[in-house]
Amino acid sequence: MTQATRETETGVNGDAAAVATKGGPGAGSGLRGFSRDDLHGLLADMLLYRRFEEKAEEAYAIGKIGGFCHLHIGQEGLAAGAIKPLRADDLVITAYREHTQALAKGITPRAAMAELYGRSGGCSGGRGGSMHLFDTSLGFYGGHGIVGGQIPLGAGLAWAIRYRGGDQVCVCFMGDAAVNQGSFLESLNMSAVWQLPVIYVVENNGYGMGTAFSRVSVTDMEARSGAYGIPAHTVDGQDVLETYRFFEELAGQVRAGAGPQFVNALTYRFRGHSMSDPVSGTYRSRAEVERHVEEQDPITILRDRMMDADLLTQEELEAVDAEARAASEDAADFADASPPPDPSTLYDHVYAEINEHGRLFLDGRGKGPAAGAGGPAAPGFGGGDHG
Amino acid sequence: MAEITYRDALNAAMCQEMDRDDSVFLMGEEVAEYDGAYKVSRGMLDRYGDRRVVDSPISELGFTGLCVGAAMTGLRPICEFMTFNFSFLAIDQVINSAAKMMYMTNGQVPVPIVFRGPTGAALQLSAQHSQACETWYVHAPGVKLVTPATPADAKGLLAAAIRDDDPVAVMEGELLYNVRGEVPDEEYVIPLGVADLKRSGDDVSIVTHGKMVHVALQAARTLARDGIEADVLDLRSIRPLDVDAILETVARTNRVVYLEEGWPFAGVGAQIVSLIQDEGFDDLDAPVVRVTQADVPMPYAKNLEQLAKPGVKAVVEACRKVLYLPAGGR
């Protein structure tokens, strides 16, 4: 597959007129309240996310990225629309399709790409990989790999905000399939009991891996939070402006004490579940995917609105896209040049505190006062080459 | 120094740490209004209020994950399980979140949390409430585990666990809560990773942890009537493990019995035997013998339960075996 066909159509290759505008005539009114700079900012953000992930896709294909790699392509409107309106000290936690959310919260393309490459310059030092991007100094709490596992953690982040008397908000993302985990129900209940400042956001792309939500769920998504008295909202995640406005207001309400909220954000995944999954196949048709790519691309939707309102020229679009491509190339170059983690650090950070007494590792290789400083390594392990 | 119960010693440790550090809070089922299912947190709701002493719903996965999330921001939750048997509902948050967070974030996110509650069997609680859970926790790098056997150790080890920057499981015993003993009144902290020789004798070493320390001491008294003097080494801390103390007793007696409440298959004792054969093999005069629970789910019937539990008689026989003495001590 060539670079050209892998790229999702965003109209920047000279076919700007080809894509229908969502919302039809008058959709330009949706721009109200956004300055020209705001709009260009959101467009640039989403283009960066798109180009970054296309670069990751390319790197995966040639083996520079390993393991699981879940692309967010098609869902960028949610990353920008839900995270950009937040304050810098608000907290975000999410699942494993999180590259663009990490970028939205401020992790640099370099640090994110180097993490995907498993390099020491990565935001998790190469120990996490695609599914575990972290930078807590930016309020980005990962990057979690077990479906639904991050939901009670998100409740805990919100608990900590309330415990300390802070006015931050925690936004906890999950895929639609996660709402069938017990962790979701338990977290909603506790969040409601304690009125925690948390917004649970379902990125509802319709499929848990290859199983349509409706095939394994008896109720609508909106009904999921009602039993806990948590207000449910539905937002069109492909419309970044609607999403942005919505989250700006909702975060303000939660900050002011409105309690937990539940957001059903409608979106669509343009790629397979992971890199090992075809874009279409047994569970969804090629036509379905193509229809969404044509009609529901959040970047195209914003682009057309801006152009219709004479707030974006083809030249400007090409310039901002060139920047996004350059930043992604630069990120890949940085990742390539970043050294892999030093082998001597294998046992670093298993524990935050190496106790003064006793041994934490019994394989004869782990460092610690007893195994390292306290005399020769254990005989009989043949581990002499491991320091 | 006052003589208090193990239960009150745990309470004293929590109060000691909550007094000095506002980031410490207690959450679990029945810990607040009910004063704790085993009354360990008696009076703490009145003393600290419902911000810091919090009744959770019966949602082990949920409240454990919530506590881990809070710990990820630097709070120091004490997450109480009514018994560690119930923590299996929460094991994803213990292993996949708490244990691995520090590592997969490259050291950005320590998780200074305590998981505590009783482990192992009480009396006729049958299969689902009688399990010794130590192995499940120490198997995962990233978790620490202590198993206090006496009131003083309960206070000192729980205090150390709360101050530690990593996830620490503190496994207690339902049958230990009423045990009385001398406990320092003043601030008291026992460093993790330091075993305690609860009895000294040069003929044979009984190495053990937790509630079984008391069984070991009784076995040692029985052996003494036959002129056999046993070391009883209480590990107190399984991870970190006081390897030096183990090797010291092995070197002195050359004969070792490992006693634990859990099952034999991949049990703590299996690890200790492996350690001794790796690092103390030349000091052994006999193969190490393990005394464990029978390799069956705990039965309810009194007679079967007695058969399944590791008891004094089995320990005495194991000691005689490593001493190459005929079976049938007193």
Side-chain angles (χ1 to χ4, degrees):
Chain A
M1 194 182 280
T2 66
Q3 170 86 28
T5 56
R6 228 185 0 255
E7 282 176 1
T8 305
E9 205 50 68
T10 54
V12 293
N13 297 324
D15 58 348
V19 181
T21 303
K22 179 185 175 293
S29 63
L31 303 179
R32 205 169 43 218
F34 289 93
S35 72
R36 189 179 185 286
D37 283 353
D38 290 340
L39 296 168
H40 277 260
L42 287 170
L43 183 69
D45 289 336
M46 290 196 296
L47 273 168
L48 173 64
Y49 308 157
R50 180 71 52 91
R51 298 311 182 202
F52 176 91
E53 287 208 309
E54 286 168 352
K55 191 70 201 172
E57 201 170 21
E58 187 187 319
Y60 193 94
I62 57 173
K64 288 188 184 275
I65 297 173
F68 292 133
C69 183
H70 310 86
L71 299 179
H72 203 232
I73 288 176
Q75 304 182 203
E76 297 94 335
L78 260 171
I83 294 174
K84 286 298 175 184
L86 300 178
R87 265 182 7 200
D89 63 345
D90 286 334
L91 309 182
V92 170
I93 186 165
T94 182
Y96 47 76
R97 194 180 304 286
E98 91 284 29
H99 306 154
T100 67
Q101 293 160 341
L103 296 176
K105 199 69 176 80
I107 292 180
T108 64
R110 284 183 167 193
M113 191 68 85
E115 189 58 37
L116 268 56
Y117 276 53
R119 302 302 175 89
S120 57
C123 56
S124 301
R127 281 173 157 70
S130 164
M131 295 186 285
H132 307 301
L133 306 179
F134 280 83
D135 190 333
T136 54
S137 72
L138 298 166
F140 191 73
Y141 275 80
H144 299 268
I146 307 297
V147 171
Q150 81 281 13
I151 306 173
L153 297 176
L157 298 178
W159 169 273
I161 291 169
R162 206 193 60 151
Y163 190 88
R164 294 189 169 100
D167 70 342
Q168 303 107 294
V169 167
C170 172
V171 175
C172 177
F173 290 97
M174 68 197 80
D176 44 85
V179 306
N180 286 327
Q181 288 279 31
S183 60
F184 171 76
L185 306 172
E186 295 184 21
S187 300
L188 255 62
N189 181 56
M190 293 187 301
S191 303
V193 167
W194 295 317
Q195 288 295 293
L196 301 180
V198 57
I199 303 174
Y200 295 108
V201 184
V202 172
E203 295 197 67
N204 188 352
N205 64 27
Y207 297 94
M209 197 168 156
T211 301
F213 181 75
S214 56
R215 287 181 55 225
V216 291
S217 312
V218 290
T219 61
D220 291 342
M221 189 60 78
E222 292 81 3
R224 293 299 172 119
S225 71
Y228 303 96
I230 295 179
H233 315 266
T234 293
V235 65
D236 178 0
Q238 305 309 89
D239 181 342
V240 69
L241 301 183
E242 179 192 326
T243 303
Y244 186 102
R245 253 191 230 104
F246 172 81
F247 274 93
E248 190 175 40
E249 190 182 332
L250 192 64
Q253 289 172 6
V254 172
R255 209 180 298 290
Q261 306 290 323
F262 177 65
V263 181
N264 173 32
L266 303 176
T267 187
Y268 196 81
R269 159 162 61 71
F270 291 0
R271 294 292 196 270
H273 167 70
S274 72
M275 290 300 297
S276 52
D277 177 40
V279 170
S280 60
T282 55
Y283 67 96
R284 61 179 190 178
S285 68
R286 190 182 167 87
E288 176 188 310
V289 177
E290 284 174 352
R291 190 178 74 248
H292 280 88
V293 170
E294 272 202 18
E295 298 174 3
Q296 294 289 323
D297 186 323
I299 299 176
T300 315
I301 291 169
L302 178 63
R303 178 205 68 189
D304 288 353
R305 281 190 185 170
M306 289 170 69
M307 284 185 159
D308 288 351
D310 289 329
L311 290 166
L312 178 72
T313 65
Q314 182 65 30
E315 293 70 34
E316 286 171 327
L317 175 64
E318 283 171 14
V320 72
D321 190 49
E323 268 180 48
R325 288 173 189 277
S328 304
E329 288 296 332
D330 171 72
D333 291 345
F334 172 83
D336 247 337
S338 177
D342 186 329
S344 72
T345 67
L346 178 63
Y347 284 77
D348 290 357
H349 306 309
V350 176
Y351 292 97
E353 184 175 347
I354 302 297
N355 302 92
E356 193 185 339
H357 305 280
R359 217 184 276 176
L360 283 165
F361 304 100
L362 289 183
D363 59 359
R365 296 163 65 183
K367 286 178 288 191
F381 286 110
D385 55 332
H386 292 291
Chain B
M1 194 82 86
E3 192 184 283
I4 62 173
T5 61
Y6 185 98
R7 150 189 302 121
D8 290 340
L10 292 167
N11 183 292
M14 289 194 285
C15 291
Q16 170 185 302
E17 296 308 305
M18 285 179 70
D19 283 343
R20 68 186 284 276
D21 184 353
D22 183 66
S23 67
V24 180
F25 69 90
L26 172 66
M27 180 179 283
E29 293 155 8
E30 310 289 358
V31 300
E33 282 196 5
Y34 194 85
D35 275 341
Y38 296 103
K39 306 301 174 193
V40 170
S41 52
R42 184 161 43 204
M44 288 178 64
L45 174 62
D46 287 343
R47 186 161 170 179
Y48 299 103
D50 62 3
R51 171 174 170 264
R52 299 182 68 193
V53 180
V54 186
D55 279 326
S56 75
I58 299 183
S59 303
E60 275 83 6
L61 171 61
F63 75 75
T64 303
L66 186 148
C67 286
V68 173
M72 287 169 69
T73 75
L75 294 183
R76 293 180 176 272
I78 303 168
C79 176
E80 175 173 319
F81 296 123
M82 198 179 292
T83 117
F84 268 95
N85 289 279
F86 302 165
S87 79
F88 294 154
L89 283 160
I91 206 75
D92 174 56
Q93 291 298 337
V94 174
I95 304 299
N96 275 316
S97 295
K100 296 172 184 170
M101 201 63 68
M102 180 71 187
Y103 196 76
M104 67 186 193
T105 62
N106 201 34
Q108 286 181 68
V109 188
V111 182
I113 190 172
V114 168
F115 303 111
R116 52 156 290 271
T119 184
L123 297 171
Q124 285 197 284
L125 298 184
S126 66
Q128 294 179 338
H129 285 73
S130 302
Q131 186 166 327
C133 303
E134 291 91 311
T135 290
W136 297 74
Y137 279 71
V138 286
H139 188 59
V143 176
K144 298 173 180 175
L145 170 65
V146 295
T147 55
T150 66
D153 287 351
K155 182 175 180 184
L157 290 172
L158 177 53
I162 294 168
R163 292 186 192 187
D164 200 275
D165 287 335
D166 290 304
V168 184
V170 179
M171 295 198 180
E172 305 154 8
E174 204 178 321
L175 296 178
L176 290 173
Y177 287 130
N178 282 330
V179 168
R180 301 182 74 85
E182 296 274 305
V183 177
D185 300 319
E186 68 280 7
E187 185 170 295
Y188 186 54
V189 181
I190 298 171
L192 306 189
V194 181
D196 185 41
L197 199 59
K198 290 283 197 283
R199 185 187 195 278
S200 197
D202 289 339
D203 296 327
V204 59
S205 302
I206 308 171
V207 185
T208 186
H209 68 270
K211 193 193 306 166
M212 288 298 110
V213 167
H214 301 279
V215 173
L217 288 170
Q218 209 180 321
R221 284 192 290 273
T222 305
L223 288 163
R225 292 204 289 271
D226 283 333
I228 300 162
E229 293 300 334
D231 255 9
V232 174
L233 182 68
D234 174 9
L235 294 177
R236 296 202 293 196
S237 172
I238 311 293
R239 193 167 187 163
L241 183 68
D242 191 344
V243 175
D244 292 344
I246 296 170
L247 297 179
E248 191 279 327
T249 188
V250 173
R252 198 151 36 73
T253 71
N254 316 117
R255 299 161 196 279
V256 185
V257 169
Y258 195 85
L259 166 63
E260 69 179 311
E261 211 183 347
W263 290 307
F265 206 113
V268 173
Q271 181 63 58
I272 302 300
V273 170
S274 163
L275 172 87
I276 292 171
Q277 76 95 13
D278 282 335
E279 304 192 28
F281 184 77
D282 291 340
D283 286 326
L284 288 175
D285 284 346
V288 181
V289 170
R290 290 190 288 155
V291 179
T292 68
Q293 188 196 313
D295 210 0
V296 299
M298 187 63 80
Y300 168 72
K302 218 173 224 172
N303 65 326
L304 292 183
E305 183 184 47
Q306 277 310 113
L307 272 177
K309 282 178 171 176
V312 172
K313 193 159 183 244
V315 179
V316 168
E317 290 310 320
C319 288
R320 295 182 68 86
K321 187 173 177 188
V322 297
L323 284 158
Y324 297 112
L325 292 170
R330 294 177 205 220

